[in-house]
Amino acid sequence: MVLIVADTSALVSLGTVASTSPNPLDLFLDSHTVVVPEQVVDELTETASYDDASGEAAQAVLDRRSALGTRFIELDETFPLDDGENAAVTLANDIDAVQLLCDEFNRLALVHASLAETRLVTTPILLTALVRNGAVSPDAADEFLAEMSDARSWSSNSYVERARSTLRRQRDNEQPDPK
């Protein structure tokens, strides 16, 4: 299985659709070795205390905590991201993770530049990969993306629009040729 580090933002995004079937959160956890820094668990716990969609999403992830490996990471106090992102980037570099799953869209350039050999992946890109791998249909992934977009306020997000375009192409490629 692919070794991946996940940040709070991406896990909460996946948690927003954790009650669906198929369930992208479970598909992700079942198909990857997912490791998170303790700071991410702390942020999930704090977020789960809120009585809103993000709180419910964080709790859905915490309910699956046994599927997450957890590591202690010392923070670089000079790194200009919050503790969870700071620790996730450090952990990804320390353990040579294949991917870092992160939805901190406002700071993705900084996150990307801070990674050594690890590939940065966002949840919208993860959804297109689930389609490519046959785990979900393009229509289901599009519905997940719409639900996540509503919950996460991604209405004008260019990463989401790019993923929607990819999902349209995947849907078109799935259709049989009319003859």
Side-chain angles (χ1 to χ4, degrees):
M1 285 202 278
V2 174
L3 176 61
I4 189 166
V5 171
D7 180 37
T8 310
S9 58
L11 291 172
V12 169
S13 297
L14 288 169
T16 63
V17 293
S19 64
T20 62
S21 181
N23 176 334
L25 176 61
D26 286 341
L27 291 170
F28 169 67
L29 294 173
D30 291 344
S31 61
H32 296 82
T33 300
V34 182
V35 181
V36 298
E38 289 177 0
Q39 290 88 343
V40 166
V41 174
D42 293 344
E43 288 181 354
L44 287 168
T45 302
E46 180 182 336
T47 303
S49 71
Y50 301 128
D51 186 22
D52 61 10
S54 292
E56 290 174 19
Q59 187 59 55
V61 175
L62 290 171
D63 290 345
R64 293 157 175 84
R65 186 167 175 199
S66 63
L68 303 171
T70 307
R71 303 273 176 90
F72 172 78
I73 293 296
E74 291 212 23
L75 295 178
D76 174 357
E77 299 298 331
T78 64
F79 196 62
L81 293 172
D82 74 22
D83 290 354
E85 291 145 4
N86 179 340
V89 167
T90 300
L91 178 60
N93 287 331
D94 285 356
I95 65 173
D96 296 322
V98 174
Q99 298 173 336
L100 170 65
L101 182 64
C102 179
D103 286 349
E104 184 50 53
F105 293 115
N106 294 328
R107 307 298 297 269
L108 279 183
L110 176 60
V111 171
H112 186 266
S114 303
L115 294 169
E117 299 293 323
T118 303
R119 181 174 176 232
L120 177 61
V121 177
T122 63
T123 302
I125 296 303
L126 173 68
L127 291 175
T128 64
L130 289 173
V131 171
R132 186 175 54 251
N133 295 333
V136 298
S137 71
D139 289 336
D142 199 38
E143 288 175 25
F144 299 146
L145 191 55
E147 191 171 334
M148 286 178 192
S149 294
D150 288 344
R152 307 289 286 153
S153 302
W154 290 347
S155 62
S156 61
N157 185 298
S158 63
Y159 295 96
V160 172
E161 290 309 312
R162 188 172 328 136
R164 283 193 173 119
S165 175
T166 299
L167 290 170
R168 278 191 296 277
R169 282 193 309 276
Q170 288 171 317
R171 186 179 304 106
D172 292 345
N173 290 338
E174 191 177 77
Q175 302 298 320
D177 284 335
K179 291 189 179 188

